[in-house]
Each structure stands twice: as C-alpha cells, then as structure tokens.
Amino acid sequence: MSRLVILTLGLAVCFFYLPIVVLGIFSFNAASTMAFPLSGFTLSWYADLFGNEAFLGGFVTSFLIAQPVGLLGALIGLMAALAVTSPRMRLRAAFAILVLVPFLVPKTVLSIAQAMLMSWVGLGRGATALILAQTLVVIPFTTTILAAVMVRLDPRLEEAARDLGATPWQSFRRVLLPQLSVALSAAYSIGVILSLADLTISMFLAGRTQPLSLIVASEFRRELKPDLNAMQVAVLVLTALIVALTEINRRRRLRGQLAHVRDDL
Amino acid sequence: MASVFHRAQLAVPVACILILGCVLPLAVLVVFSVFEVDLDAFTLVPAFSGQSWVQMFTNPVFAFLIGKAVVSGAGTAVLAGFIGYPIAVSMTRLPVLWKGVGSIVLLTPLYTGEIVRIYAWRVVLGSEGLVNAALKWFGVIDEPLKFLLFSPFTTHLVLLYNNLPFMVLAIWISAELIDKRLIEAARDLGARPIDAFFKVILPLTTPGLAVGVFTVFALAAGDMMTPSLLGGTSGATPMAMIDNLFGTAFDWPLASALSLSLLVILFAFATGFVTILLRFDGARAVFRRGTL
C-alpha cells in the first residue's frame, strides 16, 4: 500500500466519523451547553437518560416496531432474491427496478402518497401502517444483500439435490437455506437498523405511536441538550453492537465451514 | 406437482406487495391531482378539475423548488463522484483481510439515523462548535464563522456526508471486478500509472460511477430533513412544500400534482445522467463482456 492510499483512506475515515466522535465527547462533558473548551468528565447525562420515561417509552416502541420490520424485510427480501437470481426468471430487469422503487422515490413523497391513499380508503395510521411502510423501504436493501450472496453460490449443489430426488422445498430447506443463514441474519439486522433510524416515514404514518426518532426530533427543534447526546450515543452503540454481532457471526460460520472442508480432506 | 413450481414464481407475491404498497399510492396521485377540495367540510371531492395543474405550471415557486432540488442533487452527485472515486480506488488496494473491515467502516455511518447525523453536524459546525473552536484556538479567526451552520454550505456538506458511502460502494464494486491482468498488461506495454488509470481503470468503472450518480442524485434531491433542519432560510425543498400542502394547507390535489411533477423530473434527470455516463466506451466494453 502506498502512502497516498493510506492518506486517502485516513481522511475518509476522519470525515465519516468526525461528527460521531464529537457527539461521543460531548455526552461525557460536564456542561449543559455544548461548547468548547470542554469542562470536565461526567456520567450524569447518561443517568438523566435512564430516568427519562419519554425516551425509554419511545425506545421500547421503536424496538418493538423494528422486530417485525427486520423479520418481514428478510423474508420478502429472500423471496425477491430467489426470484431475481433464478435462471428461469423472465422480466428480470423490470422486477429489479420494481424492487428498487422504494429506495429511489423520495421517502417524503412515498410516505405522503401512502398516507393520502390510506386515509382516502379509511385505513387508520399507526403501528401497523408504520411497520408495513418501513418494511417496503427495507426490501431493496435486504434483496440486494441476499441476491449478492446467492449469485456466488454453486448452482450444481441444488441441481445435484434435485437429481437425487429432492423436492424443490427439500432442496431449498436442506441445501440452499443453510448457505444463506448468515446473509439472512445480515438482512434482518439491516431491517432493524433502518427501522430504528427512520424518521421520515414515522412523521407521516406513525399516527399516535411515538417511536424514539419522533420524540428526539421534537426535542431537537426546541433545544440541544447534552442528554440528547447521551441518547444518540446509546443508540449508536446499540447499532454498532448489532453490526458487530452480525459480523462475528459471519466470521464464526466461515471458520466453521473452513474447518469442515479441512476435516473432509 | 413438484416440477410445476419454480422459484422465479416467488417474484409474483413480491411484485404484488410492491405494487400495492408503493406503485399504487404513487399512481393514485394522478387521480387525487384532478380532485377538488371542499375547504368547509375538509373533504376531498371527486372531480375532474385541472385547477391544481394550472397552479402547478403557472406559479413559478414550484418550478423553482424542483429546479433547486435538481441542482442540489446533481451538485451533490458530482462532488460525491470526485471525492468518492479516490476513496473507492484506494479501497481496492487494501489487503483481502482488511476489505471486510473496510466495508463495515464505510457502511456504519449509514446506519445512524437522519436525526442523529443532523444533530451531530449541528454540534460540529455551530458557532461554539468544533470547527469554530479549533479555528479560534489557532488564531485564524476572532469571530465564529456564521456560514458554517444554517446555510447552503451546511446543507450540501451534510448531503455529501449522507450519500458519499453509496458512491464509494458503487465504484468500489465495479473497480474490484476489473481484471487485474488488464492493468498489468497496460503497465508492461509501457503505460505510466496515470495512463493506466485514464485508459483502463476509469473507463471500466463508468458503470459503477453511473450507479453511484443515479443513487446519490435521487437520494440527495429527495432529502427533506437535511435542508429543512440545517439549511436555515435556504432550506426550502419541494418535499417540504408537499408536506405543507398535505398537512397544513389540506390541498391534496396540489400536493399530488407537485409530487408527480417532482418524480417525473427527478427520474428524467437521473436517467439522463446515467445515459451520458454509459455512452463512454469503457461502459460498453464492460456490458459486452457481461461482467456486470
């Protein structure tokens, strides 16, 4: 690696992580205004956070909404990826574009269109609407993750299973699914993370449900306080934890597979 | 029965979900845009009226807002292209074991919520924030720089921050697909590194660049929260206007007409950019060989 490569990547990492690091620093700073120079170390903002019932309630709501979004997103993404990578798929390009629609249409426009249609036909907004709308936005991500893994799989394994008399379901269950478990957990994690991070869809479809991002956004418009910092750091740590666990899981599986291969040799 | 079912058929339920959940609501906008509003009863009255479209085309504020979104999105896409390119090419030079780490480091900032990012940038760029404090410390300035926050500069810096990972990812993937022997061959035949870059790497990564430009343009032009929470007086967007017409003004027909116009124009520009980029020889070579 040349010095230029290291310099470029170093600068990129600084740019990407600068705001996150600054948030972290101020969440431990003993002053109620966020200004330099720093005034000393404190954990009181975190203590405030755990005493704040609105935040805790919002967090539980967000967490409960994120679970079905992750599961449904992974399931529908799995179906879409199976279809789009199938050699027999017709209209592949049209289907791929359809899958990307929720990603490419501005979220505000999509959410407002959904809200208008729902209230026109008399459906109420709320947790269910929010879960379904977030799932739609997650589908492009989960499909891409799963399809990227599927195209790299050896199709001969599935053919062999079918030649040996396995039904499509059996070959899927016994041959394909085990190879996809890591990608599926990654897809689920992305769904959960995107749901926790969402603000725009919640603004229009949450109804009376109050996820954390909405509570934070309304606080944000009023004033910046360090307990918000602490809360953002807590959310970030949780996100990083999900990412790290997914990655550790991937590596462990990979090592397990390698060990298997070694034993077989 | 067993041979009748095939996994390609799974496309049918998925397509139904997406059509019902996304395409239908957008298509119904066409219907809503010709309805009328009864402001006394606060209801939408089915009608066949061109009123909202007349407003759409005669009031210059709508064209101005859409134009602003296009310029903003295109500017962000070009910036992201120039800044993302060296990052993506550098990532291809990482040792194999570091590539996984590289992709996590690249993607993690994407997972932070919009509100977290906006909030963090306010702390960085505020008049007592990191940048102003550092500049003061070094004696570069006496008074905090005001343009850092709540200005078009802020909006575009954060739009770039939000979307740069997508650009890097798209270029990185297409750069990894290049057959390394092509670069070696060019070097063996006497090409300087700079020539090898312009004659081999750059042309063969244009499909990735095109995907990146399309994505970043669509996302940046469609972002409402960043301009409205960080752009100050310059933060008006067509999306915020649609939100306003939908929520406060209860003018659903006009909100629908504006949404449709915005979608059509954004899509036209995005495809335009991609078509221009894919006209380069390198992109055609990539598609002919079927590596993408």
Side-chain angles (χ1 to χ4, degrees), chain A residues 1 5 8-9 12-13 15-20 22-23 26 34-36 76 79-80 82-83 85-86 88-89 95 98-99 101-110 112-117 119-120 125 136 139 141 150 158 162 168 176 190 193 197-200 203-204 213 216-217 220-221 224-225 228-229 232 236 239 243 247 250-251, chain B residues 2 5-8 10-11 13-15 17-19 21-26 28-29 32 35 44 46 86-87 90-91 93-95 97 101 104-106 108-109 111-116 118-124 128-130 133 157 160-161 164-166 214-215 218-219 222 224-225 229 239 242-243 246 252 255-256 259 262-263 266:
Chain A
M1 285 206 297
V5 168
T8 312
L9 293 178
V13 170
F15 179 56
F16 283 133
Y17 288 86
L18 170 78
I20 297 174
V22 170
L23 266 192
F26 275 109
M34 272 176 288
F36 285 94
I76 299 171
M79 290 162 65
L82 280 169
T85 57
S86 159
R88 276 213 245 159
M89 181 69 190
F95 182 70
L98 182 63
V99 168
V101 164
F103 175 69
L104 294 172
V105 173
K107 270 200 262 175
T108 320
V109 173
L110 186 60
I112 289 180
Q114 287 165 339
M116 285 203 245
L117 181 61
S119 83
W120 178 245
R125 286 173 247 170
L136 287 168
I139 291 172
F141 290 89
M150 278 183 207
E158 229 189 323
R162 300 294 301 275
L176 200 54
I190 294 282
I193 288 168
D198 163 71
L199 170 65
T200 312
M203 276 171 41
F204 299 106
S213 59
V216 173
F220 177 86
R221 281 171 205 267
L224 299 179
K225 270 190 355 208
L228 269 180
N229 273 340
Q232 302 300 2
L236 277 174
T239 309
V243 175
E247 177 65 12
R250 188 180 75 90
R251 299 211 161 189
Chain B
F5 175 78
H6 195 270
R7 68 190 227 199
L10 288 170
V14 177
I17 292 169
L18 287 165
I19 288 171
C22 293
V23 180
L24 185 70
L26 295 175
V28 170
L29 291 178
F32 283 151
F35 279 9
L44 207 56
I87 301 176
S90 301
M91 287 182 76
R93 307 279 165 83
L94 284 173
L97 276 176
V101 177
I104 292 178
V105 170
L106 177 69
T108 307
Y111 302 145
T112 60
E114 303 157 88
I115 198 80
V116 183
I118 290 169
Y119 181 78
W121 279 107
R122 264 178 77 160
V123 177
V124 172
E128 288 172 321
L130 177 73
L157 179 71
L160 177 71
Y161 178 82
L164 189 57
F166 290 109
F214 188 91
T215 312
L219 294 179
M224 174 177 84
M225 300 311 295
L229 291 176
M239 285 72 66
I242 294 167
D243 176 23
F246 164 73
W252 287 17
S256 306
S259 299
L262 176 69
L263 287 183
L266 288 189

Side-chain angles (χ1 to χ4, degrees), chain A residues 9-187:
Chain A
L9 293 178
L11 284 176
V13 170
C14 287
F15 179 56
F16 283 133
Y17 288 86
L18 170 78
I20 297 174
V21 169
V22 170
L23 266 192
I25 292 172
F26 275 109
S27 74
F28 295 109
N29 184 34
S32 59
T33 52
M34 272 176 288
F36 285 94
L38 301 170
S39 354
F41 181 84
T42 181
L43 284 175
S44 66
W45 304 120
Y46 286 90
D48 283 3
L49 183 63
F50 288 105
N52 188 329
E53 299 213 345
F55 280 172
L56 289 180
F59 178 75
V60 172
T61 309
S62 285
F63 183 79
L64 291 178
I65 285 173
Q67 298 311 312
V69 172
L71 292 172
L72 282 171
L75 178 71
I76 299 171
L78 175 66
M79 290 162 65
L82 280 169
V84 87
T85 57
S86 159
R88 276 213 245 159
M89 181 69 190
R90 278 168 298 167
L91 302 172
R92 194 191 311 268
F95 182 70
I97 291 171
L98 182 63
V99 168
L100 290 177
V101 164
F103 175 69
L104 294 172
V105 173
K107 270 200 262 175
T108 320
V109 173
L110 186 60
S111 303
I112 289 180
Q114 287 165 339
M116 285 203 245
L117 181 61
M118 284 179 59
S119 83
W120 178 245
V121 297
L123 287 171
R125 286 173 247 170
T128 317
L130 186 55
I131 289 170
L132 294 178
Q134 288 188 345
T135 304
L136 287 168
V137 171
V138 159
I139 291 172
F141 290 89
T142 54
T143 307
T144 315
I145 291 172
L146 286 158
V149 173
M150 278 183 207
V151 290
R152 275 182 276 159
L153 298 179
D154 190 344
R156 287 172 301 180
L157 283 172
E158 229 189 323
E159 283 161 26
R162 300 294 301 275
D163 287 346
L164 293 169
T167 63
W169 170 249
Q170 282 173 324
S171 78
F172 168 73
R173 174 80 190 73
R174 299 275 191 82
V175 179
L176 200 54
L177 205 55
Q179 301 181 79
L180 290 175
S181 58
V182 176
L184 275 171
S185 75

